[in-house]
Amino acid sequence: MENKNNESGKIIIVGDLFPVSSNFDLFSKGNIQTLFGKEICDLFASADYRICNLEGALTDGDAVGVKTGPVVKAPTSTINGVKALGIDCCMLANNHITDAGHQGVVDTIVTLDGAKIPYLGAGVNMEEIQHSRLVEINGYKVGLYNVAETMYNEPTKSTGGAWLYDEYVVCKEIERLKKECDYLIVIYHGGAEKFRYPSPQTRKRFHRMVDSGANMILSQHTHCVGCEEYYKDAYLLYGQGNFLFRSFNNEFTDTGLIIELTLNGNKASVKKHLVNAVGYTVRYDKNQDFTEFEKRSKEVYDEDLILEKFKAYCLNEVPQYINAYKGGRVLNKILNKLFPQKILQYKVSDYTKHHLLFTLHSLRSEQNREVAIEGIKELLKTGNYK
C-alpha cells in the first residue's frame, strides 16, 4: 500500500441503518442532526468515504415478500436522510432487501440511482448483481466486497435478490480483487443473531477470506456488538451491531460500532466508536467503554471456550426449530391406522403456509441450520424430551 502524495484516507463504516415508522419524517426531511446528533454528524463529515448497510427495501408500493418475520421497508422519500448523512456506498446484501418482493428490490435500486448513491450486493436478477467495486480514496485503491448468507434473499434469473455466500466463488473473487487494490474490505451479512461471538463456521469463513486476500471483514446482521480478532494482520469484527435500526428493542440492539479506518502510507489503523440508541435516534456514547468488548476479544482465540458458549446459545434457541419441524405427529399415527392410503396426503395438508415457510427458512439458512444441528445434539444430552 503506497500513496505518493503522503496523504491519509479515512473511511467510516456503519452497520444496519434503516428508517422505521417513528422516524420516517425525520429521514424524509433529511434532519440528520436530530437523527444522529452533532458528534456523529461531525465524524461523518471528517471522513473521505462513508459506507452503510441499508437494511431493507425503499419502496412506496404495498408488496410484501413471501417470508416469516418482520417486513422491513420504508418510503422512497426517506433516502433524503441517507443522502444528507453523506453515505457514499450502500451495502444491500442482507436478509431484508427482498422484504417488499421483487418490486421492492427494483424500487430500492431506482431510488439509490436517483439519489446518485452507489450500492453493492443486490440486483434485479442474479445476473445483474454488482457485488464488488474499486474506489480511489486520496490515492489509495480500496476494494469493496459485499456478500450475505442465504435467507429469504435469493435472486433468480428473473427476480431480484442479494449476492449470496458461495465459498469457492467468493474466495476466488476476493483473490482477484486484491490484485487490483491496496486494501480490501469485505462486508459480510450473517452470523447468529444476538450472539456476541463468531460461530465455528463463521470464523472459518472469515479466515478463508483473509487467506484469499481480505484485509478487513466486518460482520453485520447479528444486531449486537460482538468481538474482534486479528488474523494474519487482517482485522475481523464479529458483530458490528446496529447503527440506527429499531425493529426490536433489547439489551443487544441498543448499541453499535462505527468503524473508522485510516490508511496512512503503508499502514492501516482501526478506531472504534460506540453509539447508543436513544428512542428512534442514535447518539455518540460519551463513555466509550470497551471493557466487555475487549474481554470477549481475548476470549475469541480460545476455541474450546467459544464452542461451549455457542452450544449454550444453540440449546437456548433450539425450541423454535423443534416446533417448526415436529408437525402433527400424534394425529399422524392415528390417521395412519385409520386411513393408511391417505396418510401422505394428510401429512402435506397438515402444514400451514406459515409453517412451511418457517421450516424452509430454518433448513436453507446456513446459520439457522448450524444452530439447529448443534442445539438438538445438546438437547439430546440433557434428556429433557419425551
Side-chain angles (χ1 to χ4, degrees):
M1 186 166 61
E2 183 179 358
N3 187 308
K4 296 180 181 180
N5 298 322
N6 295 319
E7 293 185 23
S8 63
K10 182 193 291 189
I11 303 169
I12 291 293
I13 309 171
V14 296
D16 299 348
L17 169 65
F18 206 75
V20 295
S21 58
S22 297
N23 58 26
F24 280 170
D25 187 57
L26 292 173
F27 268 93
S28 296
K29 292 179 179 177
N31 190 342
I32 59 172
Q33 290 295 328
T34 300
L35 284 168
F36 305 103
K38 183 179 185 303
E39 291 89 344
I40 293 176
C41 290
D42 288 347
L43 181 60
F44 270 73
S46 70
D48 300 298
Y49 200 82
R50 308 151 196 88
I51 300 168
C52 78
N53 169 56
L54 191 65
E55 182 79 342
L58 297 175
T59 180
D60 297 319
D62 297 324
V64 175
V66 180
K67 59 166 293 183
T68 60
V71 174
V72 181
K73 61 179 184 175
T76 57
S77 62
T78 57
I79 193 63
N80 294 333
V82 180
K83 181 75 172 179
L85 190 59
I87 296 295
D88 294 290
C89 189
C90 286
M91 301 297 171
L92 302 181
N94 57 60
N95 56 307
H96 289 294
I97 185 61
T98 56
D99 277 14
H102 171 69
Q103 190 59 48
V105 178
V106 173
D107 292 346
T108 302
I109 289 173
V110 169
T111 301
L112 288 168
D113 285 340
K116 297 182 179 180
I117 301 176
Y119 57 87
L120 288 180
V124 297
N125 58 56
M126 64 172 56
E127 303 297 332
E128 297 189 31
I129 300 177
Q130 182 185 1
H131 44 273
S132 66
R133 68 183 292 122
L134 290 170
V135 295
E136 185 166 319
I137 302 171
N138 290 351
Y140 299 97
K141 293 181 180 179
V142 178
L144 305 176
Y145 193 91
N146 187 209
V147 65
E149 292 180 3
T150 302
M151 300 181 215
Y152 289 115
N153 50 0
E154 190 171 6
T156 70
K157 291 181 179 179
S158 59
T159 60
W163 183 247
L164 302 179
Y165 188 87
D166 178 311
E167 188 161 284
Y168 177 80
V169 173
V170 168
C171 288
K172 284 291 185 181
E173 291 188 334
I174 288 174
E175 185 178 3
R176 174 193 56 77
L177 187 61
K178 185 62 175 71
K179 294 177 181 178
E180 303 177 36
C181 64
D182 300 312
Y183 195 90
L184 177 52
I185 302 168
V186 176
I187 306 297
Y188 178 92
H189 201 87
E193 288 186 307
K194 294 173 284 185
F195 183 58
R196 296 188 185 274
Y197 301 87
S199 73
Q201 176 177 271
T202 300
R203 192 164 184 243
K204 285 179 182 178
R205 286 183 172 183
F206 277 34
H207 287 188
R208 287 167 184 158
M209 287 189 279
V210 171
D211 292 340
S212 299
N215 299 109
M216 169 184 278
I217 309 175
L218 306 183
S219 171
Q220 300 168 349
H221 172 69
T222 63
H223 302 300
C224 65
V225 173
C227 55
E228 66 185 6
E229 176 186 11
Y230 283 90
Y231 172 72
K232 295 185 176 179
D233 294 326
Y235 179 77
L236 311 181
L237 178 60
Y238 302 108
Q240 191 172 357
N242 291 347
F243 178 47
L244 180 54
F245 178 53
R246 304 292 284 165
S247 60
F248 55 91
N249 303 331
N250 58 36
E251 61 176 311
F252 294 99
T253 63
D254 284 345
T255 60
L257 292 176
I258 297 175
I259 296 300
E260 178 184 340
L261 169 66
T262 300
L263 305 178
N264 194 346
N266 61 355
K267 296 181 180 180
S269 60
V270 176
K271 183 177 181 180
K272 302 174 294 293
H273 303 267
L274 274 172
V275 295
N276 298 320
V278 179
Y280 291 92
T281 67
V282 63
R283 290 293 182 269
Y284 195 84
D285 185 284
K286 301 295 184 184
N287 297 321
Q288 296 295 304
D289 184 358
F290 290 94
T291 304
E292 291 301 315
F293 178 87
E294 291 170 354
K295 177 177 179 291
R296 293 192 298 271
S297 298
K298 291 179 180 178
E299 292 173 339
V300 78
Y301 297 96
D302 187 338
E303 293 184 0
D304 292 336
L305 174 64
I306 299 306
L307 181 58
E308 288 305 310
K309 288 180 179 291
F310 183 61
K311 288 180 177 179
Y313 167 83
C314 294
L315 185 61
N316 184 64
E317 293 291 308
V318 76
Q320 64 177 315
Y321 301 106
I322 296 295
N323 289 332
Y325 303 149
K326 65 181 180 181
R329 294 180 62 189
V330 174
L331 188 55
N332 280 350
K333 293 179 180 179
I334 296 173
L335 290 175
N336 191 36
K337 292 181 179 180
L338 296 175
F339 310 103
Q341 301 300 320
K342 295 187 177 182
I343 187 61
L344 291 178
Q345 179 182 350
Y346 170 76
K347 285 182 177 178
V348 174
S349 62
D350 179 52
Y351 288 86
T352 65
K353 182 178 180 181
H354 178 86
H355 199 154
L356 289 171
L357 286 170
F358 186 78
T359 302
L360 177 63
H361 175 54
S362 301
L363 290 171
R364 73 179 179 187
S365 169
E366 297 161 3
Q367 193 63 54
N368 287 351
R369 188 164 61 247
E370 183 183 15
V371 170
I373 290 170
E374 290 298 326
I376 290 171
K377 289 194 296 186
E378 291 304 301
L379 184 58
L380 287 170
K381 294 178 183 178
T382 69
N384 292 329
Y385 48 83
K386 293 183 180 180

